[in-house]
Amino acid sequence: MRRRTAGTIAVVSALGMTAVLGGCGSTGSSDVTLRLVAADYGDSAANSSKKYWDALVKEYEKQHSGVKVEVSVYSWNDVDRKVKEMVDAGHAPDMAQIGAYADYAAADKLYPASDLLSIRTQADFLSQLSDAGEWKHTQYGIPFAASTRVLFYNKTLFAKAGITPPTSWDDLAADARALKDKGVKYPYALPLGPEEAQAETMQWLLGGGSGYTDEIGTYTIDSAANVETFSWLKDELVGKGLTGPVAPGKLNRADAFAAFADGQVGMLNGHPTLIQQAAKKGVKFGMVPMPGRTGKARASMGVADWMMGFKQNGHADQIGDFLDFVYTEKNVLDFSREYGLLPVTGSASNTMAASNASPDKALHPFLEQLPTSELYPVGKTSWAAVSAAVKQSIGQAVAPGGSPAGVLTRLQSSATAADSSNAG
């Protein structure tokens, strides 16, 4: 498959609309229907991602009379499974916007990004996101949306306790003690329940100077630094009653966020969607970088969701032209602003960073973390299994009588086995 060139696409207006050179409005084929399966980032019918895609597709089809785009939007609970079922049944969509790409890349079902996107579009992606989209040194995962994590704190509760936001783990523990002394229900909310424990875990591992993998991508879950991190959590936060009445292994992220919005949480590790959730309830909150063991954490945790193009139907040129339109600055900004997420392109990130208007200004603390953020090891086909194992068992590491070293060693063993069987 040939590499597409920047000359294929001309940017024709400040609105970011694109047209194909040659005047025919398509790439030589007519009456092509592209099928996209996408995740829903909305929390109600009123702001469903379907509205975003419907408007974008309508604008695109005006410029491309020979191409139709059909978009099916599913909740995050269902979308990955839906795509897997379609692929397994031999009816892969042309495109999928979901949570992981590596399994499909390993099965040779995806186009490399360079076979789809113009050079201009490829060059605009933030480099660490493009790198995270690689499987065996070739990019298949195209970043679609990103977020980072910061420490949210309740300004009202902090004022009552006479404390300031923490800049180290010792500060965080001292603040949590002061909040508990003032009767705060969750001084630090530690959601290690099965909903998203892999995220809370990773942020703490980064704060302790390590992570899930080393620099060459080998799992290091049971490293000495990681064992020290979870021993500290168990002894200094959980064991001293500073994480609230629900055991961390049973506390899910959604419940922790809801408790923060209800004014019951002093501090927690959160992402941009918490901004609106807390503001709606009138909570006065601040945001600072998540502290590390002795100061600023090595990196913030970054999360990216992925777009990919499937080879089965052979529509590389049409997929590429549509995705070049999807990733124009205007469309990237529209999506990011609607759903409180971070742009994945440099052009849109620069525009957001320079804007003090709402909602851009509220996202600045997260945007500042993105260039140095570290993502899950999504390029490993074993990551899905490892993530599931972390979700199910990491809470045991901080439970009364639990062994951080024992739990992390078991997770390391299962990760090594998954890595070997997937050769990811």
Side-chain angles (χ1 to χ4, degrees):
M1 181 60 63
R2 62 187 172 82
R3 175 185 293 271
R4 301 180 66 244
T5 68
T8 307
I9 300 297
V11 178
V12 297
S13 80
L15 294 177
M17 295 191 302
T18 57
V20 178
L21 297 178
C24 65
S26 74
T27 55
S29 300
S30 59
D31 302 321
V32 169
T33 297
L34 298 177
R35 292 176 174 82
L36 164 64
V37 176
D40 194 351
Y41 291 81
D43 56 14
S44 67
N47 70 344
S48 169
S49 295
K50 186 176 189 307
K51 294 178 65 176
Y52 171 82
W53 286 113
D54 285 350
L56 184 147
V57 166
K58 182 178 180 181
E59 194 63 51
Y60 177 78
E61 289 178 351
K62 283 183 183 178
Q63 310 296 318
H64 300 76
S65 58
V67 179
K68 300 294 181 186
V69 183
E70 295 179 356
V71 184
S72 301
V73 175
Y74 297 98
S75 77
W76 274 109
N77 292 329
D78 300 321
V79 68
D80 290 286
R81 175 176 54 81
K82 289 283 188 182
V83 172
K84 185 177 187 304
E85 289 172 353
M86 294 171 72
V87 173
D88 289 349
H91 302 295
D94 295 286
M95 296 164 284
Q97 185 271 297
I98 51 178
Y101 66 86
D103 284 354
Y104 298 122
D108 195 29
K109 294 184 181 297
L110 301 180
Y111 287 112
S114 59
D115 287 355
L116 301 174
L117 303 172
S118 70
I119 292 173
R120 177 180 297 179
T121 299
Q122 291 180 72
D124 198 20
F125 288 116
L126 298 173
S127 60
Q128 82 272 28
L129 299 181
S130 293
D131 291 346
E134 293 184 357
W135 182 77
K136 292 195 172 178
H137 309 295
T138 298
Q139 184 184 355
Y140 295 92
I142 304 168
F144 181 74
S147 69
T148 56
R149 305 298 167 98
V150 299
L151 184 74
F152 283 72
Y153 66 97
N154 184 310
K155 287 185 173 181
T156 303
L157 297 180
F158 266 58
K160 289 180 179 177
I163 54 177
T164 56
T167 58
S168 70
W169 286 1
D170 286 345
D171 290 348
L172 188 146
D175 284 350
R177 167 60 65 186
L179 291 163
K180 183 180 181 182
D181 289 346
K182 291 294 184 181
V184 175
K185 188 173 182 180
Y186 294 89
Y188 179 88
L190 184 66
L192 295 177
E195 180 189 4
E196 205 192 31
Q198 84 285 2
E200 184 75 14
T201 296
M202 182 166 173
Q203 186 62 71
W204 282 100
L205 297 185
L206 291 171
S210 189
Y212 285 118
T213 62
D214 62 18
E215 292 182 354
I216 61 172
T218 302
Y219 284 113
T220 54
I221 297 173
D222 64 347
S223 68
N226 289 345
V227 172
E228 287 179 17
T229 291
F230 268 83
S231 296
W232 186 90
L233 283 172
K234 181 176 184 291
D235 296 340
E236 301 301 326
L237 287 187
V238 182
K240 293 183 177 178
L242 303 179
T243 54
V246 179
K250 297 185 181 302
L251 181 65
N252 282 323
R253 182 197 66 186
D255 296 328
F257 278 19
F260 186 85
D262 286 338
Q264 299 176 335
V265 174
M267 301 172 277
L268 86 173
N269 175 25
H271 56 63
T273 60
L274 185 55
I275 294 174
Q276 291 185 359
Q277 189 174 349
K280 285 178 183 176
K281 293 287 192 77
V283 173
K284 292 182 172 61
F285 61 89
M287 298 177 288
V288 295
M290 186 72 179
R293 183 183 299 278
T294 58
K296 187 176 180 181
R298 178 167 69 86
S300 173
M301 191 194 76
V303 177
D305 300 323
W306 304 97
M307 179 73 75
M308 61 211 71
F310 283 88
K311 299 193 315 189
Q312 180 177 331
N313 301 316
H315 295 147
D317 284 344
Q318 292 85 358
I319 293 170
D321 285 330
F322 178 67
L323 292 181
D324 281 337
F325 180 76
V326 168
Y327 286 103
T328 55
E329 182 181 335
K330 175 188 181 296
N331 289 330
V332 172
L333 282 170
D334 283 351
F335 182 86
S336 299
R337 288 164 173 163
E338 176 67 28
Y339 298 106
L341 293 163
L342 303 180
V344 296
T345 62
S347 58
S349 294
N350 291 338
T351 297
M352 181 175 282
S355 169
N356 285 316
S358 179
D360 294 354
K361 187 174 183 179
L363 292 171
H364 285 179
F366 300 92
L367 201 60
E368 290 164 5
Q369 302 284 317
L370 189 57
T372 58
S373 65
E374 187 168 316
L375 279 72
Y376 299 128
V378 289
K380 296 171 77 65
T381 55
S382 56
W383 170 241
V386 173
S387 175
V390 171
K391 290 179 182 181
Q392 290 304 315
S393 63
I394 196 64
Q396 299 166 15
V398 297
S403 167
V407 171
L408 294 178
T409 297
R410 288 194 295 275
L411 286 170
Q412 176 68 29
S413 296
S414 62
T416 301
D419 220 18
S420 299
S421 63
N422 282 278

